[in-house]
Amino acid sequence: MLPLLLAVAADRPTAGVPAALGAMFAGINDRPGGRRSSVSRVGVPALAGAAGLLTGSLLPAAGPPGAAMFVLPVLLGVLGLLAGALSSTGPVASACGTQLLVAAVIGAGMPLPEPGGERALLFLAGAGWALFLRLVLPSRRRTSGGPYRYDGEREAVASVYAAVAGLLRAAGGTRAPARRAALTAALDQAQDALSGPRLRRYASSAAERRLHAQYAAALPLAEAATALAWAGEPLHGRVAEGPLRLAHAVRTGSACGPLPAPVRSDAGLRALDDALLAAAEAFDHRPGQSLRTARGRPGLLALLRRAFGPAGREYGLRVALCCGVSAAVALGLDHEHWYWMPATAVFLVKPDLGPLVSRVLSRAAGTVVGAVVFAGFFALVAGPLPMVVAVVLCGALIPVATRHFAAQTAVVTVLVLSLVLLAGEPQAAWGRVVESLTACAIVLLVGHLPLPGQRGNRVRDAVDTAVAAAHRYLRHILAHPQDGAGRGVLRRDAYRSLAVARSALDLSAAELPPVAGRTAEFEEVAGALERLVDTTTACAVHLHDHSAALPPSHAERIAEHLAALDAAHRASARSGVLV
């Protein structure tokens, strides 16, 4: 961790603490995927964290002298309400809100000699260094298919073809629904990887355009595979060979070669055959094309409406209560490291990390393990160099540790305790355990408090969005069956919205009964929605192949799923008790 080493070498170890924090958060926010998408995934939350650090450094001066015990919890609660509402608008916004609030708490509580503006710049320097390394260093899985900077995008596109093959192999069996969900996830990841931030509207190089063309060629394959799986008939094993060869060609950058064509006996197999032929042309003959893979991003007003809608207000209120109450308790107990408690609470209340009880138990176990490792290590060594070594090792372990919240907590605990020593504060491993356990108890209590109004607005919002996307998709298929481009955009929107709704529902079902509430109605809604979207895809393939009216069997299935969806949706609305 170069910024921290430079600060220690300059005999200013406290200046390295904000830089190390910025690098730590960058490592936590980074995920497998394209390099360019990591710019927004890491860089935007880093800006929010720097703003939080600057804001936090100004908070102790707010209010009358000596009233910090009363003023700080209120100010942090208000900031938590805003950050929590922002977090409900998407994954990057969630990282921004969390990083903003945690950095504000640290800025208000950690006694560093550097002024707020300098802390913010140092924080950005640490995050910027981590992002720079992410952009320039080759990935672990190097391929020979082109510039290494596209390794993440190439692997994401190859995973789509592999997922298509997996769905074709599972057709007619019990694993087909899971394979269809895996295909949706692969398409979402590839879409995100290819639609990273750019200054231009179109792809900027031939290699990038080729990846866009390969992704575009996978979309008709995914549609045909979904229609074949919907039919429920097992397929010959060689049907999956073509997509597997295409996946290998994407990874290696080689030509796909001859592809086995399935028997053209029905609309689904004919669509698959046509998609394979089009993919072969895109791989072997077409130099590339520009493709807008992502939906238009919502404007500022739309984001604000969503942030301060029912879902945003509900989550923001819980974040505000957790942060404000934990800060008040820590300040009331006159803890030297009072900022640990609200910072821990903010991480725990973040829903992206799994069910609440699981988060709390993982946090408690990880904190204890990290404190034991830290105490044992620093009982044997002393001085700033071992602390720097510990920070560097923990920073290197963060990308691996993010696979499990308990492991991530253990690594972060050692890193934070090392930074505390570098900042000139006394060693406090066991205090860290006590305060973290107290924060766990506060989050469990606040997370299960009944709030005024309806519960579960996050699930309601996700389900309503998925229902609207499914209806738009169906209307377009029936009105414009030959519009392949428009159909593809709406199909991606429908399946992506469905995946978000299913994820929110699965998360709520894993909570304790006071939080989970009655989710049976929403299980029925999700099931009916999945059947409707899959049937719509099968209808799209049939209409595109025949250019005629739907056969009676397809029309009956559509009507049946629409009726079931409407009944389930009305039943869930009448229940009034959501996650």
Side-chain angles (χ1 to χ4, degrees):
M1 194 173 290
L2 184 61
L4 180 60
L5 290 173
L6 292 175
V8 173
D11 199 25
R12 289 190 58 192
T14 57
V17 173
L21 287 172
M24 180 191 76
F25 280 116
I28 291 174
N29 289 327
D30 197 13
R31 291 292 184 271
R35 283 178 166 79
R36 290 180 315 165
S37 61
S38 67
V39 174
S40 59
R41 195 170 56 239
V42 175
V44 177
L47 292 173
L53 205 57
L54 177 60
T55 302
S57 66
L58 302 175
L59 288 181
M69 182 185 299
F70 307 101
V71 174
L72 271 178
V74 174
L75 294 177
L76 290 174
V78 172
L79 190 60
L81 180 63
L82 298 175
L86 171 69
S87 297
S88 66
T89 61
V92 174
S94 177
C96 288
T98 302
Q99 199 157 315
L100 170 70
L101 192 52
V102 172
V105 170
I106 293 174
M110 183 176 281
L112 295 174
E114 288 76 21
E118 187 176 342
R119 296 185 204 180
L121 291 176
L122 289 168
F123 185 94
L124 286 176
W129 174 248
L131 180 58
F132 173 76
L133 294 178
R134 174 70 174 86
L135 294 175
V136 301
L137 292 180
S139 63
R140 291 182 302 166
R141 185 172 185 170
R142 279 297 304 273
T143 62
S144 58
Y148 75 86
R149 65 180 182 274
Y150 295 128
D151 285 353
E153 289 88 343
R154 187 177 297 109
E155 180 59 32
V157 174
S159 297
V160 172
Y161 287 98
V164 169
L167 179 57
L168 291 172
R169 285 175 169 174
T174 57
R175 299 176 63 191
R179 291 297 184 182
R180 201 271 300 148
L183 174 58
T184 297
L187 284 164
D188 290 345
Q189 184 176 355
Q191 182 174 336
D192 291 342
L194 291 175
S195 61
R198 59 173 66 91
L199 298 178
R200 293 174 294 274
R201 176 178 174 180
Y202 300 105
S204 59
S205 66
E208 186 181 356
R209 289 193 296 272
R210 184 173 178 81
L211 279 171
H212 280 226
Q214 291 169 343
Y215 173 79
L219 297 178
L221 277 173
E223 182 181 60
T226 302
L228 289 168
W230 172 85
E233 297 294 332
L235 302 172
H236 194 280
R238 71 188 181 92
V239 171
E241 291 179 11
L244 286 176
R245 291 186 186 180
L246 294 174
H248 177 73
V250 174
R251 289 192 174 101
T252 61
S254 59
C256 61
L259 299 176
V263 179
R264 299 173 62 90
S265 57
D266 59 33
L269 288 171
R270 283 192 292 273
L272 183 69
D273 190 17
D274 292 341
L276 282 171
L277 292 175
E281 180 185 359
F283 273 61
D284 292 343
H285 302 295
R286 195 178 303 168
Q289 67 182 41
S290 296
L291 175 69
R292 296 185 69 186
T293 56
R295 291 177 291 158
R297 291 178 172 82
L300 178 59
L301 289 178
L303 285 175
L304 290 176
R305 281 195 298 268
R306 185 174 178 185
F308 294 101
R313 292 197 305 269
E314 180 185 337
Y315 178 59
L317 184 56
R318 292 198 182 277
V319 173
L321 286 173
C322 287
C323 187
V325 170
S326 57
V329 170
L331 287 167
L333 295 175
D334 198 23
H335 282 195
E336 186 174 8
H337 305 93
W338 67 266
Y339 56 92
W340 284 355
M341 202 178 293
T344 299
V346 171
F347 269 119
L348 283 175
V349 80
K350 186 174 166 64
D352 313 47
L353 303 174
L356 182 61
V357 174
S358 173
R359 277 176 274 161
V360 168
L361 294 177
S362 296
R363 180 78 189 201
T367 300
V368 172
V369 171
V372 169
V373 171
F374 175 84
F377 180 70
F378 283 97
L380 303 176
V381 297
L385 185 58
M387 289 181 274
V388 173
V389 171
V391 171
V392 172
L393 289 177
C394 290
L397 288 174
I398 281 178
V400 179
T402 50
R403 298 176 182 177
H404 195 281
F405 191 43
Q408 176 182 315
T409 300
V411 172
V412 170
T413 296
V414 176
L415 191 153
V416 169
L417 289 172
S418 302
L419 291 177
V420 166
L421 283 182
L422 279 172
E425 298 184 66
Q427 201 262 54
W430 303 118
R432 172 75 170 169
V433 172
V434 172
E435 294 179 8
S436 292
L437 294 180
T438 306
C440 290
I442 291 173
V443 171
L444 274 179
L445 176 63
V446 173
H448 292 85
L449 280 177
L451 297 178
Q454 276 189 325
R455 295 282 302 276
N457 290 295
R458 181 169 177 265
V459 173
R460 178 190 297 278
D461 184 53
V463 169
D464 287 346
T465 300
V467 170
H471 280 110
R472 286 195 300 270
Y473 179 35
L474 176 60
R475 286 195 299 268
H476 185 85
I477 293 304
L478 297 179
H480 309 284
Q482 301 303 313
D483 180 11
R487 183 174 78 237
V489 171
L490 291 173
R491 182 177 65 250
R492 284 272 56 242
D493 188 20
Y495 277 109
R496 184 160 198 153
S497 301
L498 178 60
V500 171
R502 172 55 74 181
S503 176
L505 181 58
D506 290 345
L507 177 62
S508 72
E511 300 284 9
L512 293 179
V515 176
R518 296 172 60 187
T519 59
E521 294 86 352
F522 274 90
E523 284 287 350
E524 294 176 9
V525 173
L529 197 57
E530 288 168 346
R531 292 188 292 272
L532 174 63
V533 175
D534 284 346
T535 304
T536 302
T537 300
C539 292
V541 170
H542 181 90
L543 289 173
H544 188 77
D545 182 65
H546 290 82
S547 299
L550 281 177
S553 60
H554 285 60
E556 290 173 5
R557 295 278 289 273
I558 286 287
E560 175 187 336
H561 296 328
L562 282 172
L565 176 61
D566 183 60
H569 207 207
R570 282 188 283 107
S572 65
R574 285 196 305 269
S575 72
V577 181
L578 306 178
V579 194

